[in-house]
């Protein structure tokens, strides 16, 4: 395989035009799964909302192009096709971790011997802190009640999760794509198995929203949560999104505040809380309008590009990258941890190499081969040849701002670092 093949793939790529919409560093950027870059459309919507503040002040609540009063619901509704949700099931609010607290607080109702929460062994640290704290708040011991399922390997064994969802389980909280390994879980199956056992189930879509399609409503997931600054490029500080399945609209929000009040009556400032129907009722105080604004522009672009085209290209890029690794990098000790099957992959690929720290530093710093890095890689290779499951290198290929040639270049850069 050579760069010509990548160029051929780029010629057929219907999403190639979007790269020009982004502000990108000179070097290749692999962290769409960490912090997506700013697009011109995001800049435009941010400037528009800032201008509304400047010129309309408090009237912006109702006179803004999209009135601020409805902004968290309206922008969340733009995500309905990405999440597979009804508009009313979504709202933009808080941060991912804050929302996990608020959702678990309401959805985790231990009763009798049904007290356990099942999560995965690879659970993101912040999600775990929140689950443990919520278990403690209900008067239980997280050491006993939080069940880490999925088996001993970094790749999750879904059958193990299903086995651990037993009669003592009150709730399961799982990722869509596992942040460390790039593994995509079968959310439909897991939801089905949870429902069969009368277990409440929620998902953290932080690593899949905007790059993998979902059908949260049809699957019947109870709730969901995700951040908007990764593949959705909403910018750091952009509030997160929550999904409340329609069947759970009767559940009282855990952290009520006046912005979750029945819309028409909110400004009557009545004494007793009455939640708006749907996810909107889960809002608390004044929404972070300026922080949501960049997301509006980014979602406009993502919806125009279409999630199916995005997913198709994402899979094309990760598959191409894995074949380049097999062909050109495996001889230098690079292994692939992410599952090979398309339906088990998200948007990033996790590699294993004994010099994983050096390789990550190399990628982050613009893929410049230095003598120091080379020497360090060489020393690592001399110590141990086979990497462990901890020697992970995560590489995200954004379908919106990366080309197949970029994928080829990535593999070639790695080869230059690893060849001796
Ligand atoms: C990115 C990410 C978060 C981020 O949490 P914040 O509260 O937004 O900082 C949480 N959970 C997972 C699984 C993530 O991937």
């Amino acid at each position: 395989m050579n760069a010509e093949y990548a160029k051929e793939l780029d010629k057929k790529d219907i999403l190639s035009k979007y790269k020009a919409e982004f502000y990108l560093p000179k070097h290749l950027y692999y962290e769409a799964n960490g912090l997506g870059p700013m697009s011109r459309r995001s800049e435009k919507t941010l400037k528009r909302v800032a201008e509304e503040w400047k010129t309309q002040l408090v009237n912006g609540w109702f006179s803004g192009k999209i009135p601020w009063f409805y902004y968290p619901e309206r922008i969340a509704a733009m995500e309905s096709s990405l999440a597979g949700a009804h508009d009313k099931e979504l709202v933009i609010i808080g941060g991912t971790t804050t929302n996990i607290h608020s959702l678990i607080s309401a959805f985790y109702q231990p009763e009798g011997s049904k007290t356990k929460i099942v999560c995965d062994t690879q659970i993101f640290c912040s999600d775990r802190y929140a689950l443990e704290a919520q278990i403690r708040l209900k008067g239980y011991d997280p050491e006993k009640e939080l069940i880490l399922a999925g088996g001993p390997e970094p790749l999750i064994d879904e059958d193990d999760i299903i086995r651990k969802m037993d009669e003592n389980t009150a709730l399961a909280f799982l990722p869509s794509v596992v942040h460390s390994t790039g593994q995509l879980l079968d959310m439909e199956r897991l939801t089905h198995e949870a429902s069969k056992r009368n277990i409440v189930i929620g998902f953290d879509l932080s690593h899949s929203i905007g790059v993998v399609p979902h059908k949260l409503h049809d699957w019947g997931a109870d709730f969901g949560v995700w951040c908007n600054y990764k593949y959705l490029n909403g910018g750091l500080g952009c509030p997160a999104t929550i999904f409340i399945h329609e069947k759970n609209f009767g559940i009282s929000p855990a952290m009520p505040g006046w912005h979750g009040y029945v819309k028409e009556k909110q400004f009557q400032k009545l004494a007793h809380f009455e939640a708006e129907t749907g996810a909107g009722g889960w809002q608390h105080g004044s929404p972070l309008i300026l922080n949501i604004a960049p997301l509006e522009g980014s979602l406009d672009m993502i919806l125009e590009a279409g999630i199916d085209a995005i997913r198709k290209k994402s899979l094309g890029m990760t598959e191409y990258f894995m074949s380049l690794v097999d062909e050109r990098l495996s001889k230098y000790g690079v292994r692939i941890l992410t599952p090979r099957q398309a339906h088990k992959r998200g948007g990033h690929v996790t590699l294993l190499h004994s010099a994983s720290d050096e390789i990550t530093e190399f990628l982050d710093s613009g893929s410049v081969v230095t003598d120091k890095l080379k020497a360090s890689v060489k020393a690592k290779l001399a110590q141990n040849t086979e990497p462990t499951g901890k020697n992970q290198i995560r590489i995200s290929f954004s379908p919106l701002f990366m080309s197949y040639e970029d994928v080829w270049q990535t593999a070639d850069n790695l080869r230059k670092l690893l060849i001796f």
Side-chain angles (χ1 to χ4, degrees), residues 147-158:
I147 305 298
L148 301 176
E153 301 297 324
L155 290 186
I156 297 293
D157 170 10
E158 290 173 0

Side-chain angles (χ1 to χ4, degrees), residues 98-110 117 130-131 133-135 137-138 171 223 251-256 282:
T98 330
N99 291 340
I100 295 172
H101 277 285
S102 129
L103 289 162
I104 298 294
S105 170
F107 280 92
Y108 173 52
Q109 297 295 342
I117 295 184
L131 293 182
Q134 290 302 323
I135 290 172
L137 275 171
K138 291 266 161 55
L171 182 143
F223 66 94
I251 292 181
S252 297
M255 294 163 59
W282 287 66

Side-chain angles (χ1 to χ4, degrees), residues 85-302:
H86 295 171
D87 290 359
K88 277 224 145 229
E89 292 174 324
L90 301 174
V91 76
I92 296 178
I93 175 72
T96 319
T97 308
T98 330
N99 291 340
I100 295 172
H101 277 285
S102 129
L103 289 162
I104 298 294
S105 170
F107 280 92
Y108 173 52
Q109 297 295 342
E111 216 187 310
S113 62
K114 221 169 154 62
T115 53
K116 298 195 187 306
I117 295 184
V118 167
C119 68
D120 66 304
T121 56
Q122 306 298 309
I123 184 170
F124 186 69
C125 58
S126 203
D127 297 39
R128 182 171 180 170
Y129 306 150
L131 293 182
E132 292 184 345
Q134 290 302 323
I135 290 172
R136 255 181 251 115
L137 275 171
K138 291 266 161 55
Y140 292 89
D141 178 4
E143 287 279 334
K144 293 196 190 112
E145 310 301 339
L146 187 64
I147 305 298
L148 301 176
E153 301 297 324
L155 290 186
I156 297 293
D157 170 10
E158 290 173 0
D159 292 328
D160 188 63
I161 295 185
I162 291 165
R163 271 195 299 278
K164 296 208 163 103
M165 293 199 288
D166 61 17
E167 67 279 5
N168 298 321
T169 310
L171 182 143
F173 185 62
L174 297 165
S176 47
V177 168
V178 178
H179 70 102
S180 54
T181 63
Q183 178 185 6
L184 172 62
L185 299 185
D186 186 342
M187 290 173 271
E188 180 171 19
R189 177 175 175 228
L190 291 162
T191 304
H192 178 70
E193 294 294 335
S195 310
K196 256 184 9 198
R197 296 165 174 79
N198 202 17
I199 294 169
V200 174
I201 188 164
F203 291 98
D204 186 333
L205 309 188
S206 291
H207 266 83
S208 63
I209 192 80
V211 75
V212 174
H214 309 80
K215 290 187 176 162
L216 288 177
H217 179 91
D218 290 350
W219 294 334
D222 287 287
F223 66 94
V225 59
W226 53 90
C227 60
N228 285 312
Y229 52 78
K230 291 173 179 161
Y231 290 102
L232 293 183
N233 310 310
L236 199 61
C238 184
T241 303
I242 60 168
F243 163 81
I244 307 284
H245 195 286
E246 191 178 34
K247 67 186 173 188
N248 294 321
F249 281 0
I251 292 181
S252 297
M255 294 163 59
W258 69 314
H259 276 268
Y261 210 93
V262 175
K263 281 274 187 221
E264 309 85 70
K265 295 200 271 182
Q266 177 182 333
F267 289 120
Q268 293 175 23
K269 301 173 193 151
L270 300 171
H272 297 290
F273 182 67
E274 197 186 328
E276 170 66 27
T277 305
W282 287 66
Q283 296 177 86
H284 350 282
S286 302
L288 305 177
I289 301 296
L290 280 168
N291 296 56
I292 302 172
L295 183 63
E296 183 193 336
S298 179
L299 284 173
D300 181 59
M301 174 172 45
I302 288 166

Side-chain angles (χ1 to χ4, degrees), residues 15 211 306-317 399 404:
L15 300 181
V211 75
I307 189 64
D308 292 332
I310 289 173
R311 171 67 168 160
K312 191 159 172 244
K313 180 174 173 191
S314 166
L315 285 173
M317 289 199 296
Y404 284 92

